[in-house]
Amino acid sequence: MRLPLLILHILGGSIGLLFGTFTIAVRKGSRMHRASGNVSTIAMLTLASSGLFLAILKSQTGNIIGSIITFYMISTAWLAGRRRGIGRLDLAALLLGTGGAVAIITLGVWTLHHPDKNAPAAMCFFLAAVLLLAAAGDIRMLARGGISGRPRVTRHLWRMCFGLFFATGSFFLGQQQVFPAFLRGSIFLTVLALLPFPLMIYWLIRVRFGKAYKVQPPPIPAPATP
């Protein structure tokens, strides 16, 4: 059972990294961006789902946490990029985010008394805080009945990049044995693993100060002529 899941996990991760990088590089909002983003989303969700089952089979608590957060971040980022309104999927995402945060906090408390080097308590509490922050954004969006303009793009952007970071970190730092010996432990792999964060900051600045993402006021109707 592990071998098919492992193959699926590797394929999902490889396609997700390739198309995720391509999606970041092409012009935002273009047909190419949307198409590559859809492929990247499907691949990343496949990566997270298969990774979750593998982590459960191997009792790897750290990977269970990473899989849940990746699935939540990527799915909510995709929903934000596709539409401005809300629906049942957004409510389900909120339940997933809050439930995941509660589970991670519980694990963090447990590891305070039973230390686990693969899932230290500090990491659990930090990731739980990130999930709670994201869930607060879900609640605000649901209360307002939707999201548009810069907040929508910002929501899509930071969640997608954070989810992509779990893939780059797991590959470039967690699988260093697949790289040549001279690269293992090098700053080069660390830079590649952390690359989604500077890209996220760059695009957040572009969104914050760029005119293309500003919500335009509705046009004023011209007075009727007799």
Side-chain angles (χ1 to χ4, degrees), residues 122-141:
M123 182 191 74
C124 293
F125 293 135
F126 169 74
L127 294 177
V130 172
L131 269 183
L132 289 175
L133 177 64
D138 294 345
I139 295 174
R140 183 172 58 181
M141 182 190 69

Side-chain angles (χ1 to χ4, degrees), residues 27-208:
R27 184 170 64 88
K28 305 300 174 286
S30 64
R31 181 179 299 178
M32 191 70 70
H33 175 79
R34 292 192 296 269
S36 59
N38 288 336
V39 175
S40 174
T41 297
I42 295 173
M44 291 293 291
L45 293 180
T46 302
L47 169 74
S49 302
S50 57
L52 177 61
F53 285 109
L54 284 171
I56 292 174
L57 290 174
K58 297 180 180 180
S59 300
Q60 298 173 334
T61 52
N63 288 336
I64 292 175
I65 295 173
S67 298
I68 293 173
I69 296 178
T70 301
F71 191 95
Y72 167 77
M73 288 294 184
I74 295 297
S75 59
T76 53
W78 182 83
L79 288 172
R82 294 292 296 179
R83 54 202 178 100
R84 295 172 175 82
I86 57 176
R88 293 180 179 178
L89 289 177
D90 298 287
L91 180 58
L94 171 61
L95 296 177
L96 175 63
T98 52
V102 171
I104 294 173
I105 291 174
T106 303
L107 177 62
V109 173
W110 188 83
T111 53
L112 286 175
H113 304 283
H114 305 81
D116 183 356
K117 65 178 181 179
N118 294 318
M123 182 191 74
C124 293
F125 293 135
F126 169 74
L127 294 177
V130 172
L131 269 183
L132 289 175
L133 177 64
D138 294 345
I139 295 174
R140 183 172 58 181
M141 182 190 69
L142 291 170
R144 293 180 176 180
I147 191 170
S148 61
R150 284 175 177 155
R152 183 178 73 89
V153 180
T154 299
R155 176 183 172 88
H156 169 74
L157 180 62
W158 87 266
R159 292 171 185 246
M160 190 64 75
C161 287
F162 204 93
L164 184 61
F165 161 70
F166 276 91
T168 57
S170 297
F171 179 63
F172 292 111
L173 297 182
Q175 302 296 328
Q176 295 196 30
Q177 70 275 9
V178 304
F179 295 97
F182 70 93
L183 284 178
R184 299 170 191 171
S186 66
I187 189 65
F188 178 72
L189 294 181
T190 303
V191 169
L192 290 178
L194 299 177
L195 189 58
F197 287 120
L199 291 175
M200 178 182 69
I201 294 172
Y202 168 77
W203 280 109
L204 285 176
I205 294 175
R206 286 282 303 271
V207 170
R208 175 64 181 83

